[in-house]
Amino acid sequence: MLELDFMGWREMDVAVAGGGEVDAMLYSARLVYSRWQVQCKIGQITMAAVAKEVGMQKVTLGTVILLVSTGPVTDAAQTYRKQIISTTNLHIVFIDGAALERVIKDNATLIDILRQQAQSAIIEKPTPQGLRLPTPSDDSSGGATPAAGGAGPAKAKRSEKIEPTLFAPTYTTTQGQMFCGDSLEILPSLIQQGIRAKLIMTSPPFALVKKKEYGNEDADAYVRWFEPFISLFKQVLEPDGSLVIDIGGAWIKGIPAKSIYQYKLLVTLCESGFYLAQEFYHYNPAKLPTPAEWVTIRRLRVKDAVNNVFWLTLDPFADADNRRVLTEYSDSMKALLRNGYKAKMRPSGHDISTEFQRDNGGAIPPNLLQISNTESNSIYLRRCREEEVKPHPARFPSSLPDFFIRFLTRPGDLVLDPLAGSNTTGAAAERLGRRWLAIEQNETYVEGSRFRFEPESERPKTSYIISAQSNIIPSAMPLFASEREQ
Ligand SMILES: C[S@@+](CC[C@H](N)C(=O)[O-])C[C@H]1O[C@@H](n2cnc3c(N)ncnc32)[C@H](O)[C@@H]1O
């Protein structure tokens, strides 16, 4: 299948493996010569295991190290792999436990796994000065995406050019582009064009598992569904960028117990090289008390009113500044600032110094974001009703992307929502002066999302009372005048 030829099993010969052991040696001489050093393991792929293979490569003269394991890859092993790939001619491929299970079920997925890692090497290998990945402007036939950004260095002479498939956006605004299609097809093209996002702000379709009876097994199925996105997200993110995932909980059918699918996803993301920068909770006080059986009828559980919001980064010191999302001071803090505070020791032993008297322009928000999702009078829904377009049934409130866009990006940065639904993210980015790209596979949702960008003057007049802020509680409102654009 891979068009590799076999050299030998379990090589322990000093001449071949320097006294170490390699499970298999393979080679290909189809287009260019490559030599594959294959090692299979049980359990985790650790940094030490990778380092041992890299050491042996000096003797085997392998050009590719393939490490296959039943377990996950540790963060240290991922970091080490990246370092080796970016500083040497070697390529290192990991097939971890989850990927191995996919290969066992369908061995054709091996090609996808290798292809994905080859794609990631395109950005992991440093580009020598004067060379660059092709951008849409290289293609004289047009179809460029303006969101790709900067012109880049002078055009390089290349004997062979990688031609990305260009997808045409369904609509374009001053700041962004909406694509209708499968993210798993469109993202590789964007990556190949050199497009990088500062923030991926998204909410995956968790209803996918809701329909099923899900215990742990379906949590695993959910993670398997999500897995192909992980490698693409890593490639499309700027090194100091962020991935923010809003994901709701789900109940196991028939019993008062919850699925842990979102936590399994979080573990998988962190084992794939992401850091959990911080977890947030999106609290919607207007949530209905469901499941009725457990909450209102048998009274066994309380109202479930939070969604998990995971903020993940590739670099723990990724760009972020909480001064961009300050909230209004509480009344007591305002009084304190007005009247002053006598510095003293608290009963807890904390020294409350005069530092607390300084007006920093607002309070640092907590990781509990209280936002009601009651947008029944929003322009989007009104226009969907008027034009008889089915509105998206699971939108997040615009204050959610608004908060993270301000917190984690600067004006002009690129924000991406690859599972965009009604494009709440794109509309928030547009208002905040950020460039945006959005991808949604459902045509009706894409059509409806256009209403979010209609100029006020072109909207038909109606008697509805519009309150753009109706879904935001005052304490979550930004304080910076320049940011108050909603
Ligand atoms: C929870 S919704 C997002 C809602 C969105 N945040 C909003 O406010 O409107 C998830 C969306 O992902 C879309 N989706 C699922 N798989 C996709 C894929 N492979 N490519 C593009 N869109 C996809 C679904 O059609 C669905 O509309």
Side-chain angles (χ1 to χ4, degrees):
M1 207 164 59
L2 302 179
E3 300 198 34
L4 292 173
D5 289 302
F6 186 69
M7 293 171 84
W9 290 120
R10 286 182 71 83
E11 290 287 0
M12 297 172 79
D13 200 309
V14 174
V16 180
E21 185 207 285
V22 184
D23 282 343
M25 291 296 300
L26 308 163
Y27 76 96
S28 164
R30 200 172 143 253
L31 289 176
V32 290
Y33 183 82
S34 63
R35 184 177 287 182
W36 293 53
Q37 175 181 324
V38 183
Q39 186 67 24
C40 303
K41 297 188 66 61
I42 289 178
Q44 286 189 331
I45 297 182
T46 60
M47 191 190 101
V50 188
K52 186 171 153 226
E53 296 307 308
V54 172
M56 268 197 302
Q57 175 271 341
K58 296 278 170 226
V59 185
T60 65
L61 301 183
T63 47
V64 179
I65 292 173
L66 174 61
L67 263 159
V68 186
S69 175
T70 55
V73 182
T74 65
D75 289 348
Q78 288 285 12
T79 308
Y80 181 71
R81 171 186 172 273
K82 242 189 208 168
Q83 187 65 12
I84 294 295
I85 287 187
S86 62
T87 53
T88 72
N89 283 337
L90 251 179
H91 190 53
I92 302 177
V93 181
F94 291 152
I95 297 185
D96 65 7
L100 188 58
E101 272 182 33
R102 281 162 56 207
V103 175
I104 290 166
K105 283 199 187 107
D106 173 9
N107 61 8
T109 53
L110 182 57
I111 303 221
D112 295 333
I113 292 165
L114 294 182
R115 193 172 284 149
Q116 264 173 24
Q117 296 198 36
Q119 285 287 323
S120 72
I122 293 177
I123 56 162
E124 281 163 345
K125 293 272 180 210
T127 310
Q129 270 198 338
L131 264 185
R132 67 183 170 116
L133 293 172
T135 68
S137 56
D138 291 339
D139 183 356
S140 52
S141 63
T145 56
K155 198 169 175 175
K157 276 190 198 146
R158 298 189 65 164
S159 52
E160 196 184 300
K161 208 164 83 171
I162 310 158
E163 290 294 351
T165 315
L166 294 177
F167 292 87
T170 307
Y171 62 84
T172 297
T173 67
T174 32
Q175 300 286 344
Q177 296 182 329
M178 174 60 144
F179 294 87
C180 185
D182 184 347
S183 272
L184 294 177
E185 285 174 16
I186 296 174
L187 282 175
S189 159
L190 299 179
I191 292 163
Q192 226 181 327
Q193 291 168 59
I195 292 168
R196 299 291 175 267
K198 186 65 174 289
L199 169 66
I200 300 175
M201 173 79 227
T202 202
S203 173
F206 33 92
L208 190 83
V209 285
K210 266 192 181 166
K211 292 191 209 90
K212 302 179 182 172
E213 293 200 14
Y214 36 81
N216 277 351
E217 203 186 302
D218 284 302
D220 290 341
Y222 189 86
V223 171
R224 271 199 300 279
W225 171 80
F226 199 92
E227 240 162 25
F229 290 100
I230 298 177
S231 137
L232 295 169
F233 287 178
K234 281 168 68 179
Q235 294 171 65
V236 81
L237 262 188
E238 283 187 21
D240 64 343
S242 292
L243 164 63
V244 175
I245 299 179
D246 167 60
I247 193 163
W251 293 84
I252 298 175
K253 200 171 178 191
I255 55 170
K258 299 204 69 177
S259 164
I260 55 165
Y261 83 102
Q262 75 271 42
Y263 300 111
K264 284 215 161 189
L265 176 63
L266 178 62
V267 169
T268 305
L269 282 157
C270 291
E271 284 175 352
S272 310
F274 278 103
Y275 289 95
L276 175 61
Q278 202 163 16
E279 73 276 37
F280 282 74
Y281 298 92
H282 159 200
Y283 168 45
N284 176 3
K287 268 261 174 90
L288 293 172
T290 56
E293 173 76 3
W294 313 133
V295 183
T296 53
I297 302 170
R298 294 171 67 174
R299 304 281 180 137
L300 297 174
R301 296 291 179 268
V302 296
K303 190 167 82 164
D304 218 0
V306 292
N307 269 11
N308 291 91
V309 184
F310 300 135
W311 167 28
L312 299 134
T313 59
L314 294 169
D315 175 347
F317 291 95
D319 189 17
D321 190 339
N322 68 27
R323 285 167 298 191
R324 302 179 201 142
V325 283
L326 296 178
T327 60
E328 199 174 352
Y329 281 129
S330 64
D331 287 345
S332 56
M333 184 64 190
K334 282 183 199 158
L336 192 146
L337 290 170
R338 249 190 336 266
N339 308 328
Y341 183 87
K342 236 177 117 222
K344 63 176 179 196
M345 197 78 106
R346 280 209 154 172
S348 61
H350 287 109
D351 184 6
I352 304 296
S353 73
T354 48
E355 273 295 292
F356 281 82
Q357 285 180 41
R358 198 182 319 137
D359 185 345
N360 291 312
I364 296 170
N367 61 350
L368 177 72
L369 302 173
Q370 183 175 335
I371 310 168
S372 294
N373 202 1
T374 47
E375 280 190 303
S376 59
N377 55 356
S378 77
I379 291 165
Y380 166 74
L381 286 181
R382 190 196 93 195
R383 294 288 295 125
C384 283
R385 260 196 307 270
E386 285 169 354
E387 303 296 331
E388 296 182 355
V389 174
K390 187 175 177 283
H392 195 288
R395 306 169 312 276
F396 50 36
S398 57
S399 313
L400 192 70
D402 185 282
F403 174 87
F404 287 102
I405 291 169
R406 285 185 292 112
F407 182 28
L408 304 174
T409 72
R410 299 154 196 267
D413 280 344
L414 180 64
V415 178
L416 168 72
D417 189 342
L419 305 161
S422 65
N423 202 8
T424 314
T425 302
E430 182 101 4
R431 275 194 298 275
L432 294 169
R434 273 66 165 177
R435 294 176 299 131
W436 59 267
L437 290 176
I439 309 169
E440 166 57 46
Q441 66 186 9
N442 182 304
E443 276 176 40
T444 309
Y445 301 151
V446 172
E447 269 319 296
S449 72
R450 284 179 193 267
F451 302 138
R452 294 191 182 277
F453 301 92
E454 282 178 341
E456 190 75 51
S457 56
E458 284 173 24
R459 275 186 208 128
K461 298 272 173 292
T462 73
S463 55
Y464 292 112
I465 298 164
I466 310 298
S467 163
Q469 299 286 7
S470 64
N471 59 343
I472 308 173
I473 60 144
S475 67
M477 281 170 60
L479 284 186
F480 291 137
S482 60
E483 302 280 25
R484 204 180 288 158
E485 293 167 48
Q486 274 222 111

